[in-house]
Amino acid sequence: MSARPPRVVGRRGEIARVPFSVVNPATEQTIVELDEAGVDEADQAVARARAAYPAWRAVAPNDRARLLRRLAALVEEHGEELARIESQNVGKPIVGARAEVGMAADVLHFYAGAVDKHHGETIPVGGGVDLTFREPLGVVGLIVPWNFPLNISSWKLGPALACGNTVVLKPAELTPLSALRLAELVLEAGIPEGVVNVLVGPGRVVGQRLVEHPDVAKIGFTGSTEVGRGVMRGAAGTIKRVTLELGGKSANVVFADADLERAAAAAPYAVFDNAGQDCCARSRILVERSAYDRFAELLVTATGALAVGDPADDATEMGPLISADHRERVASFVDGDVLFRGDVPEGPGYWYPCTLVEATNDDRIAREEVFGPVAALIPFTDEEDAVRIANDTPYGLSGSIWTENGARALRVARALESGVLSVNSNSSVRHSTPFGGFKQSGFGRELGLNALDGYSEVKNVFVAT
Ligand code: TXE
């Protein structure tokens, strides 16, 4: 079946009358021009999702699972195409983009399989029978950032659809292309019209409208902590449910008893992956003082070996930043003791070099999310000091612990105020394991079976017998 046009709400909005360009950050060339949606279009998208809701929630679980499986299969089948779209629109290396598309397919397969495994229970009570049901919420608004557009869309779409909700998906203005293609595949999979609606427009206009709209039951948001605060405030008017996945300033804690070679070889990928535009970036590298000099030397060598260049090239490991404005913001963080600054390609593209800065945890570079290829190296004296520094941040999203001492690894993992940790690894996300933050990195969990709790409501029914 050929793809019908996506339900893109793209008619020119009242507020933004100028079509906007979607740009390739590696070339600064326009890929396509789109019209921005405004408040009216947001309302239309919500109305369509609302109209589609009764029929979608009534679809038998088997059939809903089958439709999600078909969508997952289509994402796999169109994997190379989606990876190229994502690579061009975000400027991310094609190899990484392929892996992200693979993960999006895994996520959709996982939630297809979860449709009939997330259910209520019977609770022993006197005088009758007590039952709980997992009910869908209704229309949910999914607001997605520009760093992992397709991946993060799938993390929200999978559980939302599996639970029987209909959705309005709002990609970031800079990176709407993979969501638009996904919307076509949704239809091709046989998921009915109106179940998934993609809304391309400015966050402060259409995103805000979704947040305040009385017919939207929940917002699943990933983005900056600052906008996340506004989402929480905006959602208060209608007591909307919110899941917030926000910024991070995660620590990569390297003890002197770690395999230093392995830790140093991995550390650049923990912070320069996706050009550092990753909420899980371990952008504070904490190193035990007795191993500091040796580790710094190894880290500089490993960072210098990163292949920075054309995202379309299979050998490339780091591409440009998302935009010129963002590059300016990233650059504003770098002063002080620069230990290493890499090279970038000449010519067009929003390039910024891999940068290592020696810092203290009080420096701005260690306090705020840079969201670029800039890491702060910070020494610590012992385990207690490491935990103190790692936790001395308003954020709490991810982090790594490098040590050959298993008991210490567990002790430190329990002590860190962070939602997602890895030991002797950079790994943060898997389709089957919970992902989300402590403190100002947000709340609610994505991925794994936990995400289903965020897209359903528990109903309790007592039947007197
Ligand atoms: O995020 P925004 P931006 C951090 C990172 C980055 C900074 C800015 O530090 O440098 O945020 O990035 C929509 N109501 N992260 O500007 O603005 C917006 O259209 C409703 C961390 O991209 O938070 C987009 O779809 N929605 C992060 C989404 O929110 C609104 C990922 C995110 O945009 C809105 C990205 C509003 N008033 C950036 N205003 C992570 N945790 O991975 C904007 N949006």
Side-chain angles (χ1 to χ4, degrees):
M1 189 176 95
S2 69
R4 280 168 284 167
R7 277 124 335 138
V8 178
V9 182
R11 193 168 63 73
R12 214 166 287 179
E14 298 307 311
I15 293 169
R17 295 183 174 280
V18 187
F20 73 101
S21 302
V22 180
V23 170
N24 180 335
T27 62
E28 303 183 29
Q29 299 290 310
T30 296
I31 304 170
V32 67
E33 297 225 328
L34 297 174
D35 287 340
E36 285 180 341
V39 169
D40 290 350
E41 287 80 8
D43 288 350
Q44 288 161 24
V46 173
R48 266 198 296 272
R50 196 171 178 212
Y53 174 60
W56 178 245
R57 75 169 286 184
V59 170
N62 269 359
D63 293 330
R64 205 152 63 220
R66 201 167 286 122
L67 290 167
L68 275 175
R69 265 197 292 277
R70 247 188 245 153
L71 177 60
L74 282 169
V75 167
E76 279 168 340
E77 205 177 295
H78 294 270
E80 187 59 23
E81 179 200 352
L82 286 164
R84 289 197 182 279
I85 290 173
E86 199 81 324
S87 171
Q88 282 177 10
N89 196 172
V90 187
K92 64 174 73 216
I94 186 70
V95 171
R98 285 187 191 117
E100 286 168 31
V101 175
M103 185 190 185
D106 286 347
V107 167
L108 294 168
H109 277 301
F110 178 82
Y111 288 109
V115 167
D116 53 9
K117 296 173 193 68
H118 183 68
H119 44 63
E121 50 192 358
T122 58
I123 300 169
V125 291
V129 176
D130 195 277
L131 310 164
T132 64
F133 294 86
R134 298 283 188 164
E135 305 285 13
L137 301 170
V139 177
V140 298
L142 309 180
I143 301 180
V144 171
W146 44 258
N147 53 344
F148 297 100
L150 182 71
N151 238 351
I152 294 177
S153 297
S154 75
W155 300 0
K156 299 183 191 307
L157 209 56
L161 295 180
C163 290
N165 304 284
T166 55
V167 315
V168 178
L169 170 64
K170 198 211 87 59
E173 298 87 310
L174 295 170
T175 57
L177 299 185
S178 56
L180 293 175
R181 185 66 184 113
L182 186 66
E184 292 178 326
L185 297 179
V186 163
L187 289 180
E188 206 176 321
I191 293 172
E193 291 263 358
V195 172
V196 176
N197 304 273
V198 175
L199 188 60
V200 177
R204 72 196 145 70
V205 180
V206 296
Q208 190 69 31
R209 180 62 183 153
L210 292 179
V211 168
E212 289 170 3
H213 201 296
D215 292 335
V216 174
K218 184 228 164 94
I219 295 288
F221 175 84
T222 301
S224 59
T225 295
E226 191 190 340
V227 173
R229 267 186 210 106
V231 168
M232 245 179 124
R233 271 195 295 270
T238 49
I239 314 291
K240 218 173 246 78
R241 283 85 185 111
V242 287
T243 302
L244 300 177
E245 203 273 276
L246 309 174
K249 193 74 213 175
S250 299
N252 196 1
V253 184
V254 183
F255 287 96
D257 65 10
D259 178 339
L260 290 185
E261 275 76 16
R262 223 181 114 216
Y269 298 96
V271 59
F272 303 131
D273 207 31
N274 213 39
Q277 302 165 126
D278 182 348
C279 48
C280 290
R282 277 77 162 156
S283 54
R284 290 182 300 148
I285 306 178
L286 275 45
V287 188
E288 192 161 357
R289 202 176 286 281
S290 59
Y292 186 89
D293 291 343
R294 173 77 185 127
F295 183 83
E297 193 184 315
L298 291 166
L299 180 64
V300 165
T301 307
T303 304
L306 274 187
V308 181
D310 180 5
D313 187 335
D314 272 12
T316 296
E317 295 175 296
M318 194 180 98
L321 293 174
I322 190 72
S323 66
D325 286 351
H326 188 54
R327 177 171 57 187
E328 208 172 299
R329 182 173 176 274
V330 168
S332 78
F333 283 92
V334 180
D335 58 7
D337 294 326
V338 175
L339 180 67
F340 175 81
R341 187 191 291 272
D343 297 323
V344 292
E346 291 190 357
Y350 309 123
W351 305 98
Y352 194 82
C354 293
T355 307
L356 298 169
V357 179
E358 295 189 283
T360 74
N361 203 50
D362 295 327
D363 295 336
R364 179 175 172 237
I365 199 176
R367 312 260 8 131
E368 295 178 30
E369 185 175 45
V370 178
F371 227 55
V374 179
L377 245 88
I378 303 168
F380 64 84
T381 50
D382 56 15
E383 188 178 309
E384 196 186 330
D385 196 37
V387 169
R388 182 189 61 77
I389 298 173
N391 285 340
D392 179 17
T393 169
Y395 295 110
L397 189 51
S398 73
S400 292
I401 301 152
W402 294 83
T403 173
E404 294 294 295
N405 178 336
R408 163 177 276 170
L410 279 175
R411 234 178 9 245
V412 175
R414 294 299 305 273
L416 293 186
E417 297 160 349
S418 181
V420 188
L421 291 164
S422 51
V423 175
N424 296 333
S425 160
N426 291 333
S427 164
S428 294
V429 292
R430 286 191 188 78
H431 62 268
S432 54
T433 61
F435 175 76
F438 281 25
K439 304 197 285 189
Q440 292 187 31
S441 288
F443 56 84
R445 289 295 176 269
E446 303 205 279
L447 299 169
L449 294 175
N450 301 65
L452 297 162
D453 294 339
Y455 288 95
S456 58
E457 202 88 83
V458 177
K459 180 187 284 174
N460 192 71
V461 177
F462 171 73
V463 183
T465 55

